[in-house]
Amino acid sequence: DEVKKIVKEFENRKNFIHENINKIENISCFEPGGAFYAFPNISKTGLNGNEFCDLALNEKGVALVPGTSFGDSAKDFIRISFANSLENIEKALYRISDI
């Protein structure tokens, strides 16, 4: 029963981040697969992943990983974890929404 509860919680977080990150102007994200991460495209912000992550950390207090950590072809992406509480995920999305 505990495992089912944990799986359901991560499903809720995945759905929340997918739905809400796509509400942010200039950011789009496909539905996350089997891990605890979303991989949004931030190219319409005018920033690359490194620039976006630097601003997120230094100005918004949100730690993200630039897509280039996973290969040069992912320069327009960032990685965001949803292995955190819904409350913290919501705060993080709010903070990065105006980058």
Side-chain angles (χ1 to χ4, degrees):
D1 288 339
E2 276 305 304
V3 172
K4 287 180 184 178
K5 204 167 20 171
I6 292 168
V7 169
K8 181 66 176 161
E9 179 60 29
F10 277 102
E11 183 77 19
N12 290 340
R13 293 175 192 179
K14 177 190 79 152
N15 293 337
F16 180 86
I17 204 164
H18 177 246
E19 179 182 331
N20 288 283
I21 206 154
N22 281 301
K23 291 178 181 177
I24 298 173
E25 188 174 353
N26 297 322
I27 298 179
S28 62
C29 188
F30 54 87
E31 185 174 355
F36 306 119
Y37 307 100
F39 206 59
N41 182 320
I42 49 81
S43 61
K44 291 182 180 177
T45 66
L47 303 169
N48 65 38
N50 289 323
E51 295 165 333
F52 192 96
C53 288
D54 285 345
L55 286 172
L57 182 61
N58 296 319
E59 294 185 15
K60 306 297 183 173
V62 177
L64 305 169
V65 178
T68 53
S69 296
F70 306 95
D72 291 337
S73 63
K75 66 178 177 57
D76 293 330
F77 293 82
I78 58 170
R79 187 172 89 158
I80 184 168
S81 172
F82 53 88
N84 208 314
S85 69
L86 276 175
E87 179 184 6
N88 285 339
I89 294 167
E90 184 175 22
K91 286 179 187 176
L93 293 180
Y94 175 77
R95 288 179 183 173
I96 66 169
S97 67
D98 63 353
I99 292 179

